[in-house]
Amino acid sequence: MGGNDKAAPGAAVQGAGRVVSGVRPTGQLHIGHLLGALRGWIALQDKAECLFFIADWHALTTGYENTGKIAENGRDMLIDWLAAGLDPEKAVLFRQSSVKEHAELHLLLSMIVPTPWLIRNPTIKEQARELGLIQGDDEAEMSQINYGLLGYPILQSADVLIYRAARVPVGIDQVPHLELMREVARRFNRLYAEVFPEPQALLTESPKIPGTDGRKMSKSYGNAVFLSDSAAEVDAKLSRMMTDPRRARRTDPGDPADCPAFNLHRVYCTPDEIEYVTQGCTTAGIGCLDCKKIMIKHVNADLEPIRERRAALVARPDTAEYLNEILETGNERARTVARETMAGVRAAMALD
Ligand code: TRP
Ligand code: SF4
């Protein structure tokens, strides 16, 4: 975090390689989050300067009617992060709404973003469709949605640009936001001064992990395996997990390619086990429950250290204070960088 890098922004910024990412606090994390995002973050915290935050303001863009759970969800998510192995000594863990500079930058950036850049954003459209706010793909319909949701990608741009981050680990659905972010950075730099580097998406290779019913794993579908589930719960959920429908009877052969559960075998099992299972499935040599048991053993072994860290964390007499302290420290470290950037932004815009 070199001191006065607004004097030589390009150089300072490129060398930094800083990593920033955030997640909306929607509640307990599941193994889809673990395998898709968290494991990538945990690997990054050893290699780069990382800032990871609870995107609680972003939660408001769709959850403004029910704000009561956002703080609690954020806290639960922090516990999941720590249990999974994010380390506050290595990465800066903080809360978006505690660093007010995000809001100031969001406001300033909103002045230079043409509305059509937002209206055509496919990820926001998809979100609006899921919420039933719009029906089709018609861009005119997007004028119906709330200003905050429309501006979601501008807030996200502020989240990243305020740290002059180089890399943003995200899933593929976030690529439109990253593109907008880069356009905003270019536009700002051209209009005022070279303040922002263009951040790159660091696409998390997410293995396909369907929920127990074969649909996308999601808390709201009730088909998720949570990091906080006990070994018995994981066993019960995965034992019931959907398999190739062709295997209605034990004697019917199946095809792992058509089996939702097998996606977990792919991630967790050894090559020998994969071969054994494939052979057994296609010849009806093994039953689905025996097949799944092989995979469940690995999933539980993977989750066990996470359970142990969680148990130790919640058994502390001072858990709440400890979590607050982590966030306070993280917020302050984030603020230090954010303030530096904002000084450069105000200077560039002659607002200082
Ligand atoms: N939009 C992201 C998501 O839905 C969350 C997010 C908010 C984010 N701000 C960010 C991700 C900044 C990366 C960087 O997952
Ligand atoms: Fe899936 Fe295994 Fe059953 Fe085949 S035997 S359908 S791979 S659970």
Side-chain angles (χ1 to χ4, degrees), residues 4-324:
N4 191 16
D5 41 12
K6 77 184 152 145
V13 161
Q14 264 163 20
R18 193 177 281 149
V19 169
V20 171
S21 197
V23 187
R24 281 170 295 157
T26 50
Q28 303 153 279
L29 300 182
H30 52 62
I31 58 173
H33 297 120
L34 177 70
L35 300 170
L38 263 179
R39 283 271 152 81
W41 290 13
I42 291 162
L44 278 165
Q45 69 180 352
D46 289 316
K47 293 185 283 202
E49 184 195 344
C50 292
L51 296 101
F52 299 124
F53 66 93
I54 302 165
D56 55 346
W57 275 336
H58 273 107
L60 293 171
T61 60
T62 55
Y64 58 88
E65 281 169 308
N66 239 322
T67 57
K69 281 236 154 195
I70 294 177
E72 187 189 325
N73 283 345
R75 183 181 163 279
D76 288 347
M77 188 163 78
L78 178 62
I79 293 176
D80 275 328
W81 283 2
L82 297 171
L86 275 184
D87 182 349
E89 303 285 324
K90 295 178 179 168
V92 177
L93 308 179
F94 71 102
R95 187 175 73 157
Q96 184 187 36
S97 68
S98 297
V99 185
K100 308 298 182 199
E101 286 78 5
H102 288 231
E104 184 183 356
L105 185 57
H106 169 243
L107 177 128
L108 295 177
L109 295 179
S110 74
M111 304 300 166
I112 66 166
V113 178
T115 313
W117 290 9
L118 302 170
I119 296 224
R120 67 176 183 228
N121 184 295
T123 302
I124 298 299
K125 264 201 237 170
E126 180 58 35
Q127 245 175 327
R129 252 196 311 272
E130 268 175 30
L131 290 162
L133 301 173
I134 64 171
Q135 262 68 55
D137 200 39
D138 183 4
E139 293 187 351
E141 263 196 301
M142 286 287 278
S143 63
Q144 307 295 320
I145 74 172
N146 279 3
Y147 176 59
L149 179 56
L150 191 65
Y152 184 117
I154 310 182
L155 181 57
Q156 186 159 340
S157 301
D159 294 339
V160 173
L161 297 180
I162 203 151
Y163 302 106
R164 286 156 290 150
R167 293 175 294 164
V168 187
V170 282
I172 190 104
D173 64 310
Q174 298 294 304
V175 166
H177 297 338
L178 263 292
E179 272 163 18
L180 178 102
M181 204 177 282
R182 294 159 60 82
E183 274 177 299
V184 173
R186 278 197 291 274
R187 194 170 169 97
F188 184 100
N189 292 345
R190 189 161 35 76
L191 280 167
Y192 307 111
E194 276 284 329
V195 172
F196 299 120
E198 288 180 35
Q200 307 279 346
L202 205 60
L203 285 187
T204 33
E205 300 161 37
S206 3
K208 189 180 157 226
I209 305 295
T212 51
D213 57 1
R215 292 189 291 169
K216 182 182 153 65
M217 187 176 289
S218 161
K219 189 183 176 193
S220 54
Y221 290 160
N223 64 3
V225 175
F226 296 108
L227 303 192
S228 52
D229 284 343
S230 68
E233 282 168 319
V234 170
D235 196 299
K237 284 181 179 179
L238 294 180
S239 294
R240 283 196 310 267
M241 184 161 179
M242 191 181 163
T243 59
D244 180 352
R246 277 184 295 244
R247 297 215 66 190
R249 274 158 308 191
R250 168 70 180 75
T251 49
D252 297 331
D255 182 351
D258 298 323
C259 171
F262 187 75
N263 288 290
L264 280 162
H265 290 80
R266 270 199 194 100
V267 174
Y268 279 108
C269 291
T270 66
D272 282 353
E273 286 168 330
I274 295 280
E275 202 189 305
Y276 171 77
V277 161
T278 304
Q279 163 79 14
C281 179
T282 51
T283 59
I286 51 169
C288 283
L289 191 57
D290 286 332
C291 175
K292 286 192 279 191
K293 290 262 180 256
I294 297 171
M295 163 274 277
I296 292 169
K297 191 184 63 196
H298 288 293
V299 176
N300 266 329
D302 192 30
L303 294 181
E304 200 44 43
I306 299 180
R307 288 186 194 113
E308 278 162 21
R309 273 192 296 266
R310 175 191 312 278
L313 189 58
V314 300
R316 292 173 66 114
D318 62 340
T319 306
E321 291 88 340
Y322 176 66
L323 295 176
N324 281 340

